[in-house]
Amino acid sequence: MTIFNGKVVDEKKFSKKLDNTLIVTTSDDALVPLTEWEFGESEESLQLPGFKVVRDNKSDCKRRFKIICSVLVIVTTFVSAACLGYFMHRGLNSYKPFVDTVHVRFHEYIRRSEGHDTPESRIDGGFFEQVEIQWKGKQYEKIGVPFFIDVKRATVVHDFVHIWTAIVDHDNSQCFVIPLNQSITFPPEIFMEYLLKHRDEYKVPSFKVERQVHRVVTPPLENLLELGDIIATDCHFYNTYKLVRADEPFAMSKRFACRFSGDTYSLGGAGYPALLLIALDGCL
């Protein structure tokens, strides 16, 4: 065995050969390499007067520290990536909707008495409605229509993702749904541009009133999820019925009077060239 008294053996070279095992003198703590251990001798077989066999744990601590740091870096990276993905997904689907108050002007031609020879009289009117438009992500339009003429107050919801229109009657705790007619309803982005263009009151055009007769399909729907989460949320606590036009063969054959007969709702006049009124005439 070779002994180096008074000097510490090169740690890197030494630790590679002897797996961090050292002999330390009891007098001056000089370190010596155990070259014999490379040939299989055990610690117990080395009985040297004035020396003791010890384990150098300094390199082991460094190695453990590096492993712990590496694990922490990997975990932190994964957590950061997950958080970033969550907030990016949330941000892409949480655009603030466009909200505005719209002045709607309308006119309707009616006959004061029966007979084709009776001249029509024009009635003009107007009201203010609240509009909420989401043009990115969940594309929808919500139009708060007030009372006017013989029309009940309601909130109209156009869902452009699931292609449904809902009339939400909060006063009577009921909803009516019909398929969204995209040919006569402005898409959210075009609707918003239209509102911005006609924001000044003197630029608002007058809409012609159109009345359509619909009938209520009973019983109420059981699964509102097929209507999409926007309408399902607004109609969650209400009985929700489908509507069909009265001139459809199915609606003409089974009609009977019900409590909805005579009710009239509007789909709002700011997303459609005319002010569309839905008159309910019995149930199916």
Side-chain angles (χ1 to χ4, degrees):
M1 175 181 0
T2 304
I3 299 177
F4 298 91
N5 288 318
K7 287 187 179 182
V8 178
V9 180
D10 182 19
E11 231 178 288
K12 294 182 179 179
K13 182 177 179 181
F14 183 71
S15 61
K16 289 180 181 178
K17 285 186 177 182
L18 305 175
D19 193 20
N20 306 330
T21 303
L22 311 175
I23 288 182
V24 183
T25 63
T26 56
S27 57
D28 57 1
D29 292 337
L31 304 181
V32 297
L34 297 179
T35 56
E36 289 81 1
W37 276 27
E38 296 178 11
F39 300 94
E41 292 196 25
S42 64
E43 179 179 333
E44 290 76 8
S45 65
L46 295 173
Q47 303 293 335
L48 301 175
F51 293 88
K52 61 179 179 179
V53 178
V54 297
R55 175 75 68 178
D56 181 15
N57 294 322
K58 186 175 180 181
S59 297
D60 289 339
C61 292
K62 289 182 178 179
R63 189 181 302 110
R64 293 192 188 99
F65 181 74
K66 290 180 180 179
I67 294 174
I68 293 173
C69 290
S70 299
V71 172
L72 290 177
V73 169
I74 294 173
V75 172
T76 304
T77 302
F78 276 106
V79 172
S80 300
C83 293
L84 180 62
Y86 169 77
F87 286 110
M88 287 183 64
H89 174 76
R90 185 176 178 181
L92 291 174
N93 292 276
S94 60
Y95 297 98
K96 289 185 178 180
F98 173 84
V99 180
D100 200 0
T101 300
V102 181
H103 181 218
V104 178
R105 295 173 55 234
F106 65 88
H107 63 275
E108 183 178 15
Y109 293 94
I110 62 173
R111 298 181 186 277
R112 296 295 181 180
S113 60
E114 296 182 359
H116 296 287
D117 296 334
T118 305
E120 293 181 337
S121 300
R122 171 168 168 156
I123 298 177
D124 292 277
F127 57 87
F128 288 90
E129 62 184 15
Q130 301 296 321
V131 174
E132 177 182 323
I133 304 174
Q134 180 59 274
W135 70 99
K136 291 184 178 180
K138 297 180 178 180
Q139 297 187 2
Y140 66 84
E141 299 167 0
K142 291 187 178 182
I143 305 172
V145 182
F147 289 108
F148 68 96
I149 314 178
D150 57 342
V151 175
K152 288 180 172 292
R153 180 173 58 184
T155 299
V156 179
V157 182
H158 297 301
D159 187 340
F160 284 81
V161 176
H162 298 89
I163 321 299
W164 284 100
T165 292
I167 301 171
V168 186
D169 185 348
H170 295 289
D171 296 328
N172 297 287
S173 302
Q174 58 194 19
C175 284
F176 305 97
V177 294
I178 57 176
L180 173 63
N181 190 338
Q182 299 187 73
S183 63
I184 61 175
T185 306
F186 290 155
E189 191 169 356
I190 297 178
F191 188 13
M192 186 175 63
E193 293 176 357
Y194 169 84
L195 295 180
L196 294 174
K197 180 180 178 180
H198 297 89
R199 175 166 282 181
D200 295 333
E201 186 174 350
Y202 68 92
K203 293 183 179 180
V204 176
S206 179
F207 295 97
K208 181 181 179 181
V209 172
E210 285 190 14
R211 296 180 181 266
Q212 292 183 359
V213 180
H214 284 67
R215 288 175 181 157
V216 182
V217 179
T218 57
L221 298 173
E222 295 183 359
N223 182 19
L224 299 185
L225 294 179
E226 65 181 15
L227 306 175
D229 56 339
I230 299 296
I231 293 177
T233 300
D234 288 351
C235 297
H236 180 69
F237 296 104
Y238 303 154
N239 286 331
T240 304
Y241 304 88
K242 282 187 178 181
L243 300 179
V244 295
R245 292 191 59 162
D247 55 2
E248 294 184 10
F250 170 74
M252 296 174 65
S253 60
K254 300 182 179 181
R255 185 258 183 194
F256 62 90
C258 61
R259 64 184 181 88
F260 305 115
S261 300
D263 292 345
T264 302
Y265 296 93
S266 171
L267 297 187
Y272 175 52
L275 183 62
L276 184 59
L277 305 185
I278 304 294
L280 304 184
D281 180 34
C283 295
L284 300 175

